[in-house]
Amino acid sequence: MNQRKQKAKQMMESSGYASQFESDKFRVRSQTNPEKFYIITRTGNGLVCECLDHITRKADCKHIKIVLELIMKNKCYHNNTFRIMERASLELCKFCDSGRITKKGTRKNKNGNVQIFKCLDCKKKFSANFGFEKKQFDYTTITGALQMYYSGMSVRDISNHYEMLGIEVSFKTVYNWVADYSKLVSKYLNEIVPRTGNWIRADEVWIKVAGEQKYLFASMDDDTRYWLASDMADTKFQHNADNLLELTKKAIGKNPTYFITDGLPAYQKASKKVFGKKTIHTRHIHIQKDMNNNKMERLNGEIRDREKVFRGLKKMDTPILDGMKVYYNFTKKHGALKGKTPSESALIKVDGKNRWKTMIQNASLYKQNSI
Ligand SMILES: [Zn+2]
Ligand SMILES: [Zn+2]
């Protein structure tokens, strides 16, 4: 590792040094003067920095190296908030933001040909409609369908809605978008640890899946209302809560200090087994002013209100549940959180005007990089 790279690495490690503040602009704090920031801009020729080093040498300065790291690893923090970055709108490499790209033929889809590019720096190939390859509809139609679906519209409602706008899309196609993108996005988001508080809650809510009554066991962080994990069960009283607690622990990356539930015995056993003795398990019936489990009720209500969504569930193991979690955590503004989404309260922010688009593009990058 050369000196410049080494320096970039050191600066990266102290979070808050670099951040994206517009879709094509980044800010890197000066090491010598903490009051000063350098602005790095994405241009058709790659990244350009305003520092003297870059201006005189025309090569990548340490600030550009930091931004490149940031883009490649998607580790952008600003004021301790994890930022899910907007991808470049310019014709730059979608993986490393290099401007050194070359055209590498086309790929056919129903609307015509899609241009394929190859990056001369990282050698990866990508298409112009990154994250939405091989789709015959544009990203606005697709992400619009996802948002409508999780807001409570059925796939048929959405298909009819689009027909009125002159867009012919079958309800099966809508379902496939919802299922595929929910799976893709939640796999990526599950790797990002939300900043949660000390109180974790769990509860069960009954729902109908393919005409049968099921119980959805769910856990939530008290402070941020972040929906952490869920587990579907056939019965309420016979169900073992271990799996829910394992998933909860993985989601927050630690054992909670306090764990609040109703009186269901399964929680007591699971808390001891999964969280251990240090976690204080409390049944909310014993907490004053918490008689109604209000915080959890809101999430339960959200879930129950999505009756139409669940009616479409064909089996228990479904990406739709994961997608609902994404919708709830990342797009639902919360009155009790001063209009923030649970993810914003948990210090994860999605940049860009279309959040689904930003999440899908980053999830696609994550998927390709993790193979
Ligand atoms: Zn620079
Ligand atoms: Zn590249």
Side-chain angles (χ1 to χ4, degrees), residues 72-129:
M72 294 285 279
K73 293 195 174 151
N74 195 1
K75 286 227 161 106
C76 181
Y77 286 92
H78 183 56
N79 293 336
N80 284 326
T81 300
F82 185 94
R83 301 267 297 268
I84 297 175
M85 284 186 281
E86 215 182 339
R87 309 314 306 183
S89 51
L90 306 152
E91 284 196 352
L92 300 175
C93 171
K94 295 296 177 230
F95 294 93
C96 74
D97 270 26
S98 165
R100 302 201 319 131
I101 58 170
T102 169
K103 288 183 177 173
K104 197 79 187 168
T106 55
R107 190 191 284 143
K108 256 194 168 56
N109 82 1
K110 283 185 185 169
N111 276 1
N113 289 329
V114 175
Q115 182 65 51
I116 306 296
F117 299 97
K118 189 183 176 185
C119 173
L120 295 174
D121 286 321
C122 74
K123 317 278 185 234
K124 285 183 174 161
K125 282 186 206 166
F126 58 91
S127 74
N129 54 346

Side-chain angles (χ1 to χ4, degrees), residues 49 51 61 63:
C49 181
C51 78
C61 60
H63 313 111

